[in-house]
Amino acid sequence: MASPPSLDDRRSAGSNVPDGRPDEDHGVLERAVPGLATPIRAVGFWAAIVLPAAYLPLLATGLSSALEGGLFLGLLAGNLLSLYVGHAHRR
């Protein structure tokens, strides 16, 4: 009687990429701008680390105006974007 496939076997069965991600998700940035993919990922990685420091003074003074609320949402969106772009830096 054969044993059921392990989780690793199921992950790699439908993918040609060693880390288990499907081909259509792997290397989108590399296909779009091949020469700039590595620097863009590095900037995204470091921006994701540095951007939360900008939240502190903004939150310390409060989000009392529409401008401060918009700035906070813009920082949050920028941080999420930088997390997404920079997550594969040095993998």
Side-chain angles (χ1 to χ4, degrees):
M1 204 155 85
S3 63
S6 69
L7 183 58
D8 291 332
D9 292 338
R10 283 181 276 165
R11 277 190 196 143
S12 63
S15 173
N16 295 331
V17 180
D19 64 355
R21 292 188 298 178
D23 285 341
E24 57 271 358
D25 290 342
H26 186 73
V28 173
L29 188 59
E30 285 78 7
R31 286 191 305 267
V33 282
L36 296 175
T38 301
I40 290 172
R41 289 203 189 279
V43 168
F45 175 81
W46 288 108
I49 291 172
V50 173
L51 276 177
Y55 296 148
L56 297 176
L58 188 60
L59 292 174
T61 60
L63 300 176
S64 57
S65 71
L67 177 66
E68 291 171 340
L71 183 60
F72 176 75
L73 290 177
L75 280 170
L76 186 62
N79 198 357
L80 291 174
L81 179 66
S82 62
L83 281 168
Y84 178 74
V85 169
H87 80 279
H89 177 60
R90 296 233 176 157
R91 272 196 183 176

